Each structure stands twice: as structure tokens, then as C-alpha cells.
Amino acid sequence: MRIALCFQYDGSCFCGWQRQKNCLSVQETLEKAILELTFNESKIRTYAAGRTDSGVHAAGQVAHFDYSGPIPYEKWANALNGRLPNEVRIIESIRQPNSWHACHSAIYRRYRYTILNSCRPNLFLEPWSWHRYKFRLDDELMNQALNQLIGTNDFFAFQ
């Protein structure tokens, strides 16, 4: 059975999504929680719709894994949330056909970048924004530049 998870995480304490040797990743954290529920019977591998860099957050990341045990797909969200740290939360767990793949079946991805353009950082926004203040940003010039990105684009070269 292929189980898809929609989840969110605060990436402040992670080195990104993908498992790495010398630091804690979201993938490693999620797979460890899954293994606890399967009693370490077999190695479970998760596949995400995309990867994030160190310190980057996700509000609606999607990943999947294959499982053949007794836990129903709809129970995985609650079961995992009881084992994951507060920085990671499963929003929903659903069943998908075996041909579905979190990365290859994704029909869109949305990214949000927040620039805080003020004299001083904001305590409540600082973890989720980039503080930039040398001069006021030119909103009109930024909108003109961003208009070039609207629509369907091929960002393959940025992989």
C-alpha cells in the first residue's frame, strides 16, 4: 500500500529534507518515526515532492512510502504525530495507487519568500523571514522583475 503524507515542518533545526551523514534531516526524523510504528520490521524509505535546504520550512510538503502492515492509511497521521518532534506535523495521510509518486506526480509547487524590509528585525517574524534593510525596497521594480516568472516555467537548469 502506498501512503502519502501531507505535512509541515519548521526547518530551523534541520539540515533540510534529505537524509545526510552528519546532521539531522526531516527525512531521517520522519523515517525514524515510521520505523518505530512498524517495529523496525523492514527499512522504510520516504520520497518527497521536493527537497528543502538547511533551515528552510515547509507548509504543505508531500511524501510517500510503501507499507504492507496492519496500520490503516488513515491512522498514520495521528500515529506519527505522537512520535514526531514538535517541529514536524503530519496534516493528513491518504492512500495512493502504487503508480503515484510524490515527486513525479506533483502537478505544482509553490514557494514563498518573505523579506522583512524594516529598520529592525521583528521577533515574531524573524524565524520565517529574511531581514534586509540597507535601503527601502522598490516594490514596483520588484513586481516588474517577478512578472517574468508568472506562468509555466522550466526550472530544470536549477536542479
Side-chain angles (χ1 to χ4, degrees), residues 88-104:
V88 181
R89 277 294 158 256
I90 308 297
I91 299 167
E92 185 177 18
S93 56
I94 61 173
R95 186 174 185 173
Q96 291 289 3
N98 287 342
S99 60
W100 185 90
H101 193 282
C103 182
H104 307 300

Side-chain angles (χ1 to χ4, degrees), residues 105-158:
S105 300
I107 56 173
Y108 78 93
R109 290 169 175 84
R110 184 173 66 181
Y111 299 90
R112 179 179 181 176
Y113 299 90
T114 305
I115 302 170
L116 181 62
N117 190 218
S118 63
C119 296
R120 291 178 185 79
N122 179 304
L123 177 68
F124 299 104
L125 298 178
E126 191 171 10
W128 301 280
S129 63
W130 178 47
H131 181 244
R132 171 85 174 137
Y133 192 79
K134 245 186 193 173
F135 50 86
R136 292 295 306 162
L137 295 174
D138 185 335
D139 295 345
E140 183 57 36
L141 191 59
M142 290 172 60
N143 280 329
Q144 288 175 20
L146 290 173
N147 279 331
Q148 303 291 322
L149 298 174
I150 293 176
T152 302
N153 298 285
D154 181 359
F155 293 107
F156 183 79
F158 293 101

Side-chain angles (χ1 to χ4, degrees), residues 9 13-20 23-36 46 80 83-90:
Y9 54 88
C13 64
F14 296 106
C15 61
W17 159 259
Q18 190 171 3
R19 182 182 288 275
Q20 296 181 36
C23 57
L24 183 63
S25 70
V26 178
Q27 182 179 27
E28 176 184 353
T29 303
L30 181 58
E31 287 176 356
K32 180 180 174 189
I34 292 169
L35 284 173
E36 287 177 13
T46 56
L80 287 171
R83 286 162 176 77
L84 289 166
N86 291 334
E87 294 80 17
V88 181
R89 277 294 158 256
I90 308 297

